[in-house]
Amino acid sequence: LGAEGIISEFTPLPREISHKWNPKQIGEHLLLKSLTYMVAMPFYSASLIETVQSEIIRDNTGILECVKEGIGRVIGLGVPHSKRLLPLLSLIFPTVLHGVLHYIISSIIQKFVLLILKRKTYSSHLAESTSPVQSMLDAYFPELIANFAASLCSDVILYPLETVLHRLHIQGTRTIIDNTDLGYEVLPINTQYEGMRDCINTIRQEEGVLGFYKGFGAVIIQYTLHAAVLQITKIIYSTLLQN
């Protein structure tokens, strides 16, 4: 958000698309998103390493540790890395591709779901008188449901690309991860991908199509909990409004 705000302030690139949009405006808006992902990429990479690294060897890092590590990644200082570390230039395309596709898919699905929910709400209002409680729910919850659906669909659709992206970012960083298959040992990251295309071909040849979906169970748990929180929030909100 910070990077996008700064870039939009110093460039004519629009942060929002108006209702009377044109292809040029959409192109400039997506260019802003691409530049934002490029600027945030080193810090995203540093924070990704912190989130997957085993607790056994993790130091007590500060809140802004990913900022320091990201700057160190850019200027080539800080934590030692192996020769298998991919340069940031090699990571720009997959990072920007994933970010822009995720934004496009989530935006389209969000607007589509929101349109359907609003039409459904409008039809129900015409069919019968609506209570004040239901009116309040109809005013706030469609946006939450649309955001949930958009995030879920984009994460599921782009999960294979995200798997490739994460493997490329972590390669050569001397990261030690937990063996989640066995649960009682750690594993070093010893991949030697030359780039995005080599990573895709290697995963397909050595692990099959299911190799792109390793860890997908965590996404299922994440969105199951998310849906439960939305439903519980709706029940609590309805109860409070009725009282």
Side-chain angles (χ1 to χ4, degrees):
L1 290 175
E4 184 176 330
I6 293 172
I7 295 174
S8 64
E9 285 294 328
F10 290 94
T11 63
L13 303 177
R15 294 189 68 178
E16 302 290 340
I17 298 178
S18 63
H19 295 292
K20 298 180 179 180
W21 55 269
N22 54 63
K24 180 184 177 182
Q25 189 180 36
I26 292 180
E28 292 177 344
H29 181 65
L30 293 180
L31 177 59
L32 172 64
K33 292 293 180 181
S34 300
L35 294 174
T36 300
Y37 295 128
M38 289 174 59
V39 173
M41 180 178 64
F43 311 103
Y44 171 80
S45 181
S47 64
L48 174 65
I49 294 170
E50 290 296 324
T51 58
V52 302
Q53 192 160 237
S54 175
E55 292 284 350
I56 296 176
I57 51 92
R58 181 183 296 177
D59 299 326
N60 292 325
T61 55
I63 297 176
L64 298 178
E65 189 69 22
C66 68
V67 177
K68 185 183 75 173
E69 293 292 337
I71 295 174
R73 180 75 184 270
V74 173
I75 62 179
L77 298 176
V79 179
H81 300 102
S82 71
K83 294 180 179 179
R84 292 177 287 105
L85 181 71
L86 290 171
L88 289 177
L89 288 176
S90 301
L91 299 174
I92 288 178
F93 177 73
T95 303
V96 172
L97 178 65
H98 176 267
V100 171
L101 287 179
H102 194 282
Y103 174 74
I104 292 174
I105 294 173
S106 60
S107 297
I108 293 174
I109 293 177
Q110 181 184 9
K111 293 184 183 302
F112 179 72
V113 172
L114 200 56
L115 179 63
I116 293 177
L117 292 176
K118 286 185 175 180
R119 284 186 176 180
K120 183 179 178 181
T121 302
Y122 180 74
S123 300
S124 64
H125 285 178
L126 294 177
E128 55 185 19
S129 59
T130 307
S131 64
V133 173
Q134 189 62 41
S135 297
M136 292 292 288
L137 290 175
D138 292 340
Y140 293 106
F141 270 84
E143 190 77 29
L144 294 176
I145 298 299
N147 288 336
F148 171 78
S151 181
L152 171 62
C153 293
S154 55
D155 280 351
V156 170
I157 293 172
L158 295 177
Y159 192 86
L161 179 58
E162 188 176 9
T163 299
V164 173
L165 179 65
H166 287 175
R167 292 195 183 191
L168 294 177
H169 272 284
I170 295 175
Q171 176 175 299
T173 57
R174 297 185 178 178
T175 302
I176 304 295
I177 63 172
D178 294 309
N179 186 343
T180 54
D181 293 329
L182 300 179
Y184 57 81
E185 65 181 15
V186 294
L187 298 170
I189 302 294
N190 293 321
T191 56
Q192 297 185 8
Y193 306 122
E194 297 179 359
M196 179 179 174
R197 181 179 297 178
D198 179 53
C199 182
I200 294 174
N201 293 334
T202 303
I203 294 175
R204 186 172 62 242
Q205 293 172 4
E206 297 182 358
E207 304 172 43
V209 177
L210 293 179
F212 293 99
Y213 291 91
K214 284 187 174 180
F216 191 74
V219 177
I220 297 175
I221 295 174
Q222 172 189 338
Y223 282 102
T224 300
L225 292 174
H226 192 168
V229 169
L230 280 178
Q231 189 63 30
I232 293 172
T233 304
K234 184 176 182 179
I235 294 173
I236 294 175
Y237 194 62
S238 300
T239 304
L240 291 174
L241 287 175
Q242 288 173 350
N243 292 336

